[in-house]
């Protein structure tokens, strides 16, 4: 706005509709390399822009009909403490559970323990004190393979840093967690033709746009990289999906696809721990929302009881509730 007041011209490229409607005077929409429309801000709305962007009904106004979660605790965390590599406490006495068929959202400003929580639950980080029960069994401390074998899937915060190997194709990336299984290998040798057919089916099922299953995945768009990552994790038929900022950097269409995948897991009775800084996403998808601040859970509420202002205050550490 200051640059505009100084007489300068600003061109802003973004897929965030609220950002567009807040800052722009005129808006142009591109889809698949073509300019679809140009209009003054006063002539359009978020819903109209979303339809133009994805070529279908807006995903921003859809209503989700959901059943009540099963009263079966899938994940139970008690008195969990964990420390950063430098010795600083990053998780401080966490107590919470996630039921079967439930999406639990985790809100918080980045750096308040959400990343470390995901790492602990997926075996990437060991914990100091506390207990984690998953599907009635104790979760092994710091065991990545143990988490995978017990049925925990993980979509990490950075898909290209922690989720996918950019120089490899779809086949290798899809095999990362299952190459030891009898379906994927025999006597230590990969079942090449069978694995390629399986990979092609997954690419088609999850609508991953790629030049071919051998094309390096760093050539794919962010949305297609994320769909490939979800294809691998969902194909494991997990009991618990831990998704960290799963729609970060994605356009409206790709975001809707990710949301559908998470809703699909919920409908199958699976559990989802959704870690996100997008309050719209959390309020739309979650059955329950926890708020983290300073490594602690400072709020735990049903979605019907949640509101943006209160969650924002908890995220800023301005007040806390007894999270139980």
């Amino acid at each position: 706005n200051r640059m505009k007041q100084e007489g300068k011209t600003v061109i802003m490229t973004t897929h965030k509709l609220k950002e567009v409607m807040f800052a722009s005077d005129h808006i142009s929409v591109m889809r698949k390399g073509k300019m679809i429309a140009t209009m003054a801000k006063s002539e359009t709305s978020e819903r109209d822009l979303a339809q133009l962007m994805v070529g279908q009904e807006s995903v921003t106004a859809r209503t989700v009909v959901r059943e009540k979660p099963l009263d079966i605790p899938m994940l139970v965390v008690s008195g969990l403490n964990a420390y950063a590599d430098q010795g600083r406490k990053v998780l401080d006495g966490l107590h919470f559970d996630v039921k079967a068929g439930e999406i639990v959202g985790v809100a918080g400003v980045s750096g308040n323990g959400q990343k470390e929580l995901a790492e602990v639950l997926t075996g990437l980080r060991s914990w100091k004190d506390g207990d984690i029960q998953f599907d009635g069994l104790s979760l092994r401390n710091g065991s990545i393979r143990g988490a995978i074998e017990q049925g925990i899937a993980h979509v990490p915060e950075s898909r290209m840093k922690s989720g996918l190997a950019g120089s490899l194709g779809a086949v290798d990336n899809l095999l990362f967690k299952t190459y030891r299984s009898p379906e994927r290998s025999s006597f230590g040798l990969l079942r090449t033709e069978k694995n390629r057919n399986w990979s092609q089916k997954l690419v088609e099922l999850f609508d991953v746009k790629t030049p071919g299953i051998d094309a390096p995945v760093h050539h794919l768009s962010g949305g297609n990289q994320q769909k490939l990552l979800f294809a691998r994790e969902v194909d494991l038929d997990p009991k618990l999906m831990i998704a960290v900022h799963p729609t970060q950097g994605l356009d409206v269409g790709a975001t809707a696809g990710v949301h559908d995948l998470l809703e699909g897991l919920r409908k199958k009775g699976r559990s989802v721990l959704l870690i996100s800084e997008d309050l719209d996403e959390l309020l739309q998808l979650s059955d329950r929302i926890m708020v983290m601040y300073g490594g602690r859970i400072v709020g735990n509420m049903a979605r019907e009881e949640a509101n943006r202002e209160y969650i924002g205050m908890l995220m800023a550490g301005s007040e806390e509730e007894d999270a139980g």
Side-chain angles (χ1 to χ4, degrees):
N1 283 333
R2 286 198 302 269
M3 292 179 70
K4 184 173 76 170
Q5 291 166 9
E6 293 169 1
K8 296 179 171 63
T9 299
V10 179
I11 299 176
M12 179 178 68
T13 304
T14 180
H15 57 262
K16 296 182 179 179
L17 299 179
K18 283 183 169 56
E19 198 169 62
V20 169
M21 294 300 291
F22 175 78
S24 303
D25 297 298
H26 287 82
I27 302 167
S28 295
V29 178
M30 291 188 69
R31 187 172 76 239
K32 296 183 179 179
K34 294 181 180 180
M35 195 67 75
I36 302 300
T38 298
M39 73 288 291
K41 179 174 69 174
S42 59
E43 299 170 350
T44 190
S45 66
E46 288 186 24
R47 180 184 177 85
D48 292 340
L49 290 174
Q51 290 177 5
L52 289 168
M53 288 169 68
V54 301
Q56 61 190 33
E57 280 299 308
S58 170
V59 298
T60 59
R62 65 179 185 166
T63 301
V64 177
V65 179
R66 58 180 69 221
E67 297 178 1
K68 187 177 180 181
L70 303 174
D71 193 21
I72 304 172
M74 181 60 64
L75 175 71
V76 180
V77 175
S78 306
L80 181 64
N81 294 321
Y83 295 82
D85 299 334
Q86 304 82 7
R88 176 176 58 89
K89 182 180 274 192
V90 289
L91 298 178
D92 186 3
L94 300 193
H95 292 267
F96 69 92
D97 63 63
V98 182
K99 294 181 174 61
E102 182 180 41
I103 297 179
V104 174
V106 181
V109 177
S110 180
N112 279 280
Q114 307 95 303
K115 175 175 175 285
E116 289 80 7
L117 174 60
E119 290 175 345
V120 164
L121 295 176
T122 55
L124 291 166
R125 179 180 296 274
S126 59
W127 69 86
K128 180 70 175 175
D129 307 298
D131 180 61
I132 302 175
Q133 294 288 316
F134 179 66
D135 196 20
L137 300 173
S138 293
L139 196 66
R140 288 180 241 168
N141 195 341
S143 172
I144 297 172
R145 184 184 294 189
I148 295 170
E149 291 175 348
Q150 284 184 254
I152 298 177
H154 182 208
V155 174
E157 179 177 0
S158 174
R159 50 186 168 265
M160 292 309 297
K161 182 179 179 181
S162 307
L164 300 169
S167 61
L168 301 179
V171 180
D172 291 321
N173 276 282
L174 290 171
L175 280 170
F176 280 160
K177 290 189 173 181
T178 55
Y179 65 89
R180 296 185 184 89
S181 70
E183 278 191 298
R184 307 275 75 89
S185 63
S186 176
F187 299 104
L189 299 175
L190 290 172
R191 300 177 182 270
T192 303
E193 184 176 355
K194 187 175 182 180
N195 292 340
R196 290 181 65 82
N197 292 336
W198 165 74
S199 298
Q200 185 64 49
K201 288 179 182 177
L202 279 181
V203 163
E204 293 172 2
L205 179 63
F206 285 82
D207 193 28
V208 181
K209 300 294 190 299
T210 175
I213 57 176
D214 296 314
V217 299
H218 64 69
H219 291 326
L220 307 184
S221 69
N224 284 300
Q225 290 170 356
Q226 196 74 334
K227 283 192 283 187
L228 184 68
L229 181 52
F230 265 97
R232 183 184 72 210
E233 300 301 308
V234 172
D235 188 62
L236 297 171
D237 194 19
K239 298 173 184 175
L240 170 66
M241 168 68 76
I242 299 174
V244 186
H245 308 312
T247 59
Q248 186 171 261
L250 303 187
D251 64 25
V252 175
T255 295
V258 168
H259 288 177
D260 287 341
L261 288 170
L262 296 176
E263 285 285 353
L265 289 169
R266 184 193 185 283
K267 288 177 182 177
K268 289 176 65 177
R270 307 301 189 253
S271 305
V272 177
L273 190 68
L274 172 61
I275 298 174
S276 177
E277 294 178 38
D278 186 336
L279 292 186
D280 288 330
E281 182 169 69
L282 291 173
L283 290 167
Q284 177 183 334
L285 294 177
S286 304
D287 298 287
R288 192 155 43 90
I289 298 175
M290 302 189 303
V291 183
M292 290 190 68
Y293 178 78
R296 300 176 61 235
I297 295 174
V298 297
N300 191 343
M301 65 207 80
R303 181 183 55 162
E304 294 78 14
E305 302 168 353
N307 67 74
R308 184 183 306 275
E309 292 74 19
Y310 183 53
I311 293 174
M313 291 172 66
L314 291 172
M315 288 171 62
S318 60
E319 60 175 280
E320 300 182 5
E321 76 169 14
D322 183 4

